[in-house]
Amino acid sequence: MLRFFIIFALFTSLFSSEVERHRWLKDESYLLFLERVKLPIKPLYYNLDKDDQRLTEEMRTGIHYQILRDGNGQILQALLPLNDELQIHIYKEKNEYKFEPIPIISTTKTEAFSVVITHSPHYNIMKATGSKKLAQIFVASFRNSLNFKNDIRKGDRLVMIYDQKYRLGHPFSMPILKVAMIEMRKKQHFIYLNDDERYYDEKGNEVEGFLLARPVRGARISSYFSKRRYHPILKRWKAHLGVDYAARRGTPIVAAGSGRIIYAARMGSYGNLVKIRHDDGYETRYAHMKSFRRGIRRGKYVKKGQTIGYVGSTGRSTGPHLHFELRKHGRAINPLRVVQVTTKKLKGKSKKAFIKLRDSYNKSVNLHLKNATQFQKIPQREEKCYFYNPQTPSP
Ligand SMILES: [Zn+2]
């Protein structure tokens, strides 16, 4: 952790130099970026290992990044956020540029608001919060259980409680819904995020997702999703943007959801890769396949549960397994948070724990209703750099 303090100290001591905040341009790749800002490509890309090279593909349009220059306009450091937890740190040391993935430091706040519905949940949340994300999350959470169109009356209310991440005063990343409540003709309907990271209704029945639990039947998870992970042997920060299922070579892999195949070929460290595009901006990826099933090719429509290929070890892989990824609008998300585990019903101890959680959530929902809690916009402070405070605790 000493390392972080060194970086912080470095940043602060150089604070007289200018820190610029930019947004990642549309269609700009990491390589194009290096070229445009005149950073050397060899040490910052070609000399990296495959994992780090793949990480650089995670840069997304519109993301805020920082550049620190010296008095002559030379770049001293750059911070490029890859997701909400990990960022690329480019820095100059003894006249050479170095590359390292490091964690992003952020704080999480639990926020809540209530809204009276005059038009539709989507419209009124947008109007009250100005956040498309919040409106979409709320509507999507009830998609499979309720019909807003027919059963909402003017004057029905809704409450949303969620976690929002902040980086130096700026909200970033997707909010995580904890409770959603909507009245329909005054009757309350709920969805709760349980301690097992899945969503349930009032009765403890899981809210149905749209994907299959596992794209490989009976397979064991050998590696979980992580936006940042410290590799104890390599002593570096990495990410694992999917879930690995260990299975015997040749085991069938099925489509986790219905959709159109948009890629079925070899792709670098992914090996034999299939990408399927689903509704609502979702995409699933199946990597390291031994082979594709006959007829599986770009443009073909597949149904949930249909075999698309077979477990193998092609690409960068140490043994036969399926590397499974879920993306929404290009961003990797944890598949285990979205998949449907044959619609789980909570029982026994876990049901008891859920009921306790549910009742405390209901209390806060009703308190927010009573107080008509307004959405509060956090004032945006113009921060120069998120490494500003050397006292920031390292993770
Ligand atoms: Zn993997």
Side-chain angles (χ1 to χ4, degrees), residues 203-222:
K203 294 190 191 102
N205 296 333
E206 195 186 7
V207 179
E208 199 176 304
F210 77 104
L211 292 173
L212 278 178
R214 319 181 157 214
V216 183
R217 235 163 255 139
R220 165 182 72 80
I221 293 178
S222 54

Side-chain angles (χ1 to χ4, degrees), residues 66-133:
Q66 273 87 353
I67 285 181
L68 179 75
R69 296 181 193 269
D70 66 13
N72 304 319
Q74 274 240 349
I75 292 179
L76 296 172
Q77 299 193 50
L79 288 169
L80 315 176
L82 297 161
N83 55 44
D84 45 8
E85 299 203 350
L86 199 64
Q87 59 192 341
I88 294 171
H89 180 218
I90 291 171
Y91 60 102
K92 205 171 169 186
E93 195 179 70
K94 292 181 193 134
N95 252 343
E96 270 178 53
Y97 282 102
K98 299 272 170 66
F99 173 107
E100 63 172 356
I102 58 170
I104 288 174
I105 289 149
S106 68
T107 52
T108 301
K109 278 186 62 188
T110 301
E111 301 179 348
F113 63 86
S114 76
V115 167
V116 178
I117 302 163
T118 57
H119 293 72
S120 71
H122 192 279
Y123 174 89
N124 286 109
I125 294 174
M126 271 295 284
K127 199 166 168 240
T129 67
S131 167
K132 209 174 176 179
K133 283 181 188 168

Side-chain angles (χ1 to χ4, degrees), residues 271-338:
N272 287 327
L273 173 71
V274 168
K275 291 191 198 177
I276 301 176
R277 191 197 292 139
H278 311 278
D279 290 342
D280 298 330
Y282 283 102
E283 180 191 308
T284 48
R285 296 183 182 179
Y286 312 76
H288 310 311
M289 285 187 179
K290 175 172 165 268
S291 56
F292 306 118
R293 192 188 180 180
R294 234 171 42 166
I296 290 299
R297 59 177 173 265
R298 223 182 106 193
K300 196 178 157 61
Y301 185 85
V302 288
K303 280 207 166 135
K304 178 156 134 184
Q306 193 178 326
T307 299
I308 53 171
Y310 306 94
V311 171
S313 190
T314 54
R316 191 184 156 86
S317 163
T318 46
H321 77 281
L322 169 72
H323 170 91
F324 176 61
E325 277 180 28
L326 175 65
R327 291 185 177 247
K328 180 153 198 199
H329 300 305
R331 271 168 219 254
I333 54 178
N334 187 352
L336 298 181
R337 206 174 238 172
V338 185

Side-chain angles (χ1 to χ4, degrees), residues 251-282:
T251 310
I253 298 165
V254 301
S258 303
R260 195 163 301 283
I261 293 179
I262 52 168
Y263 192 92
R266 209 140 173 127
M267 190 196 265
S269 51
Y270 278 117
N272 287 327
L273 173 71
V274 168
K275 291 191 198 177
I276 301 176
R277 191 197 292 139
H278 311 278
D279 290 342
D280 298 330
Y282 283 102

